Amino acid sequence: MILDEKPYSFDRVVRMALSAGLVWGLVAALGYLSDVLVPFAVALLLAYVMNPMVLRVQGLVKSRSAAIGLTLLLFVLVVVGIFLIVVPLMGREMAHMGRLISDLVSNSTLAEAAAKRLPPDVWQALRDYFNMPEVQNFFRTDSFISMAQTVLRRLLPGIMGLISGTYSVIMALVVPGVVFMYLIFLLLDFQKVRVVWKELIPAPYRSGVVSFVQEFDLAMSRYFRGQILISGALCIVFATGFFLIGLPLGILLGIMLGVVSMVPYLQVLGAIPAVMVAAIHALETGQSFWWVLGLTGVVFVAAQVVQDVILVPRIMGKAMGLSPAVMLLSLSIWGKLLGMLGLLIALPMTCLVLAYYRRFVLAQEEASLLPDGEGGA
């Protein structure tokens, strides 16, 4: 620890400076390599989440390779099924929203209704916003595919830049292919690495390091995997609820709210765009704004009840979770340092830091408070 009673000798100051330099160099190296490390990080997280399922299947088929093949086949079928069902619906939602925005900024019946039902200042602000070229272009019919390509180029410029823009089909397949290859290799070696890595630790440090890693893995398995399952379930709840009440962009908004729920209660921020699309839906259908807003609130309440009453007790149990404030701060810091790579590793690294703090810092404090002769018990 820094704040202890040990004297700050020259050797100790040098070691602290070298440690700080090592940490800075590691962060700088990760930032420099983040473009090529993102696919590996995605595959590693997927492997960590999918390994328990592989172990269950392996208990039935007795072969690790066959279990991985069956698990990946099921995973691919689910992803393809979601893609075939959800993506066309989202494309229609984008086109529908584009038509509504065009009507709102023109002298249409919808614009006249908005001018009558909304306060003049609010209506003018909305009209100016929807009339921006960026907003208009975003909701073009083909913008969903182009938006996905733009996101891939921004997140993975190191890989996407290797391929000419002429081969757009290949561009759409390269990144998932690289992630899939990483995923197969990681799953094949997952159990072997979990056993062999202990032998690489020098014997004097092996016991402490192994117990620390086991504590970190326990925190990750209880919290990180559980939070991913809860987030996926909330994506379905929000998207289905918004789709049933007919909100524009309901599926896209629901998926976004489910994803941000990785940080507990952060989905509350989705109330702002939800109110906006509820108002547009009320103008389009002629319904009462308060009725549509009430239905939207029911979806939020239902999702919160499902999360707090059903999902969290069953999936998370009594696991010690991270504070929402700590999670949001972690995402902000790591995202700022390493971009997309930082967002992917933010929660695991936070769990790692907290496990280290509990294992070493607090343990040393407790040991120092014990009377002489009791610390080694």
Side-chain angles (χ1 to χ4, degrees), residues 6 18 30 80 83 90 93 109 140 226 233 257 281 320 349:
K6 294 181 180 179
L18 290 177
L30 289 175
V80 171
F83 184 85
M90 294 174 65
E93 283 187 340
T109 305
R140 289 181 304 176
L257 289 175
H281 182 60
M320 180 65 72
M349 290 304 296

Side-chain angles (χ1 to χ4, degrees), residues 148-227:
Q149 293 176 346
T150 302
V151 170
L152 283 178
R153 291 192 185 97
R154 287 182 61 84
L155 298 183
L156 304 171
I159 291 179
M160 302 299 285
L162 297 177
I163 304 173
S164 172
T166 306
Y167 304 99
S168 58
V169 176
I170 299 178
M171 291 175 66
L173 296 177
V174 166
V175 175
V178 172
V179 172
F180 196 73
M181 290 177 60
Y182 275 138
L183 180 58
I184 294 175
F185 296 142
L186 288 171
L187 286 174
L188 284 172
D189 295 333
F190 205 91
Q191 293 303 109
K192 185 187 300 183
V193 172
R194 290 176 70 98
V195 176
V196 174
W197 74 270
K198 301 176 184 178
E199 301 176 0
L200 302 177
I201 306 299
Y205 308 101
R206 187 173 300 162
S207 176
V209 173
V210 169
S211 61
F212 163 67
V213 172
Q214 289 176 344
E215 181 178 342
F216 165 67
D217 182 61
L218 180 62
M220 284 283 293
S221 61
R222 284 182 176 179
Y223 186 75
F224 187 70
R225 287 174 178 150
Q227 200 63 48

Side-chain angles (χ1 to χ4, degrees), residues 3 11 34 48 51 86-87 98 101 119 145 165 168 198 203 208 211 219 225 236 276 305 312 314 328 336 365 374:
L3 300 177
D11 291 341
S34 61
Y48 190 83
N51 187 61
V86 174
V87 170
I101 290 177
I145 301 299
S168 58
K198 301 176 184 178
S211 61
R225 287 174 178 150
I236 298 174
M276 181 179 294
V305 170
V312 172
R314 290 178 179 271
L328 187 58
K336 179 65 175 178
E365 284 188 351
E374 296 184 16

Side-chain angles (χ1 to χ4, degrees), residues 229-299:
L229 292 175
I230 292 173
S231 177
L234 289 180
C235 284
I236 298 174
V237 173
F238 276 115
T240 303
F242 291 152
F243 178 77
L244 291 177
I245 65 177
L247 284 189
L249 296 180
I251 295 178
L252 181 60
L253 179 60
I255 292 175
M256 292 176 59
L257 289 175
V259 171
V260 299
S261 67
M262 280 286 292
V263 180
Y265 308 108
L266 192 61
Q267 65 264 32
V268 175
L269 296 179
I272 299 174
V275 170
M276 181 179 294
V277 295
I280 295 176
H281 182 60
L283 292 172
E284 177 191 15
T285 59
Q287 301 181 64
S288 168
F289 168 72
W290 298 109
W291 169 252
V292 178
L293 185 62
L295 292 177
T296 305
V298 168
V299 175

Side-chain angles (χ1 to χ4, degrees), residues 36 70 80 95 115 126 142 167 177 194 207-208 210 248 282-283 288 300 330 344 372:
V36 295
L70 291 174
V80 171
L126 287 177
D142 62 342
Y167 304 99
R194 290 176 70 98
S207 176
V210 169
L283 292 172
S288 168
F300 274 89
S330 171
L344 290 173
D372 293 341

